[in-house]
Amino acid sequence: MRILTFLHSFEPGGVERIALRMVRQWRAQNVDALLFVGRREGDMLGDVGADLDFISPPGVGPGAAKMETLWMIRTLPKVVRRTRPDVLFCAGNTYAVVAVALKVLLGRRCPPVLLKVSNDLDRHDQPWWFRPFYRLWLRIQGRYLDHFVGMETPMADEIGQCLGVSSDRVTIIPDPALSRPLIERLRASRGAARAEGVGRRFVCVARLTPQKNIALMVRAFGRGARPDDTLTVIGDGPERAKLEQLTRDLGLEGRVTFAGYASEPAALLPSFDVLLLSSNYEGVPAVVLEALAAGLPIVATDCSRSMATLLGHGALGDLVPVGNEAALAEAIARVRPSSQDEHLSLAQARRFTIENASGAYLSVLSRLCASSVSRLPTEDRWDGQPA
């Protein structure tokens, strides 16, 4: 079985990081896992993407980064025709438009597509006038793509309702954001307990984009934190300058630090006391899983149907309404650094390992491949050799 995974670039992103790890894991299991990357750019090329062979189109122009989805739609069909994969792995919602375009452009020559639903499908943040078009787009995905993977149990109903697909086209595979060795390292490397009288050490790990709503977090921190508390924001993105200015405007310099990109942000979590997440929407945030592995209490917005299940319906963290600054500030004020249930958080983290997910994904992909081949006329079946 030949699997082709396609990504925009090596720019930091949770979907991309997990996809690169999955490709690496499949290759370690002797799976023929191809990787297409639209642009040879991004910080992850030097860490999680290091030494991974990949296909990239030649002659990428200076405007490719701004129109990378159109660039992929233009270049990827040729790669599919040349490499003849048995199945396509669409690593997240961001890439659904590329997958649908491939189905349209290649017709019956397009391999079956497995879409990992990586983000909230309800999207209550969208303006009312756009919602009918968005719902139509979801139904188009359900019409054209072959199978869907949700990352946590509540996503089964979410995918069925929003995409209009039957339950036999949906599989739940806990998001492979962790590995068994990573969990062991995080548990073993937890920093010294916070000294009495020293402020709580809050941490956020996110790309600095509107989706993550870090401005809400900074304002809520200013309202709810104690004078000796600190907040470290790990990550980079287009909103960094604006957020740094907001920090200055609120008089929080020295208490709120923007640390920039980190090659392995999970490794830094044991040095902190509490994870904050303020997103407008998410799927199953990898950083929440990493915080569970590190044993941190979590304060987060209720930004997807899966969040309550992830946090054990209140046993592993505190959820507040999306966009509610006052509620987030109150949760920040009351959280205790030592409040996490060690055994429950560890058990929850162990569900989300790449070792567990890899075989589950391969099983679904194999079924898709077998079903597709059985429907093809004899002259269209591939003998396993690239064209």
Side-chain angles (χ1 to χ4, degrees), residues 17 21 47 182 185-186 234 261-269 290:
R17 181 176 293 276
R21 287 174 175 165
D47 47 67
L182 176 60
R185 290 202 311 272
L186 292 178
I234 300 171
Y261 173 76
S263 61
E264 192 176 6
L268 305 176
L269 294 181
E290 293 164 349

Side-chain angles (χ1 to χ4, degrees), residues 280-303:
N280 294 329
Y281 60 93
E282 292 282 356
V284 172
V287 67
V288 168
L289 305 178
E290 293 164 349
L292 292 173
L296 298 187
I298 296 161
V299 174
T301 50
D302 193 8
C303 51

Side-chain angles (χ1 to χ4, degrees), residues 84-115:
R84 303 185 70 175
D86 297 293
V87 63
L88 301 176
F89 177 50
C90 185
N93 303 63
T94 306
Y95 300 97
V97 64
V98 178
V100 170
L102 286 172
K103 281 288 189 177
V104 172
L105 294 171
L106 295 175
R108 71 172 187 173
R109 300 283 182 174
C110 185
V113 177
L114 175 65
L115 170 63

Side-chain angles (χ1 to χ4, degrees), residues 185-316:
R185 290 202 311 272
L186 292 178
R187 287 280 158 157
S189 62
R190 280 178 293 179
R194 186 174 54 91
E196 193 66 31
V198 174
R200 297 169 298 174
R201 301 163 295 187
F202 291 88
V203 64
C204 162
V205 181
R207 180 146 172 80
L208 307 184
T209 61
Q211 174 192 349
K212 307 301 181 179
N213 205 348
I214 306 301
L216 175 79
M217 180 189 299
V218 171
R219 292 194 301 268
F221 177 82
R223 291 176 60 175
R226 301 164 192 164
D228 52 354
D229 291 340
T230 60
L231 168 61
T232 301
V233 180
I234 300 171
D236 215 333
E239 291 207 320
R240 180 167 179 171
K242 182 172 71 174
L243 292 168
E244 289 176 331
Q245 182 60 52
L246 174 63
T247 300
R248 291 190 290 270
D249 293 343
L250 295 175
L252 295 174
E253 306 102 311
R255 296 178 60 200
V256 176
T257 302
F258 291 87
Y261 173 76
S263 61
E264 192 176 6
L268 305 176
L269 294 181
S271 300
F272 296 93
D273 299 314
V274 180
L275 176 81
L276 297 184
L277 185 141
S278 54
S279 297
N280 294 329
Y281 60 93
E282 292 282 356
V284 172
V287 67
V288 168
L289 305 178
E290 293 164 349
L292 292 173
L296 298 187
I298 296 161
V299 174
T301 50
D302 193 8
C303 51
S304 80
R305 295 195 197 188
S306 297
M307 288 298 293
T309 302
L310 285 178
L311 299 187
H313 299 280
L316 297 171

